[in-house]
Amino acid sequence: QVQLVESGGGLVQPGGSLRLSCAASGSIISMNAMSWYRQAPGKERELVASIRSIRSSNYADSVKGRFTISRDNAKNTVYLQMNSLKPEDTAVYYCNAHGLAFRGDFDSWGQGTQVTVSS
């Protein structure tokens, strides 16, 4: 009922930057938290950052000071600005959103976008 489409992944050198975007579409009445997760090969999926409002966001310790999450409520879109990227940031990044749609509560995931940090 609610679809998430991510974009913005790619290959970047250490120290570089990328900006991920995730747009939600569907019969959305209200959006609660929007989040970014990542999963590296052989590792569990982990929360990278989450945002409920401008004043309410949280980050994994490993990305604090380097990544910034933001959202455009009018567009139901969440962004992840990633600076000072490190090889250990290499992973598939997934967008997650939950809220209320016409058919009821939703908890949706995007298809994932690959981020590779390598020289």
Side-chain angles (χ1 to χ4, degrees), residues 34-46:
M34 301 185 80
S35 307
W36 287 97
Y37 288 74
R38 67 185 180 187
Q39 187 167 20
K43 295 187 176 181
E44 294 187 353
R45 189 172 297 189
E46 64 174 353

Side-chain angles (χ1 to χ4, degrees), residues 3 34 40-41 52 63 83 89 93 98 107 110:
Q3 295 80 39
M34 301 185 80
R52 290 187 178 273
V63 306
N83 299 329
D89 294 317
Y93 284 70
H98 57 87
D107 185 348

Side-chain angles (χ1 to χ4, degrees), residues 62-80:
S62 60
V63 306
K64 282 181 181 176
R66 300 187 298 121
F67 290 11
T68 302
I69 190 170
S70 61
R71 63 190 281 179
D72 184 333
N73 292 328
K75 296 181 179 179
N76 284 323
T77 298
V78 63
Y79 305 96
L80 186 67

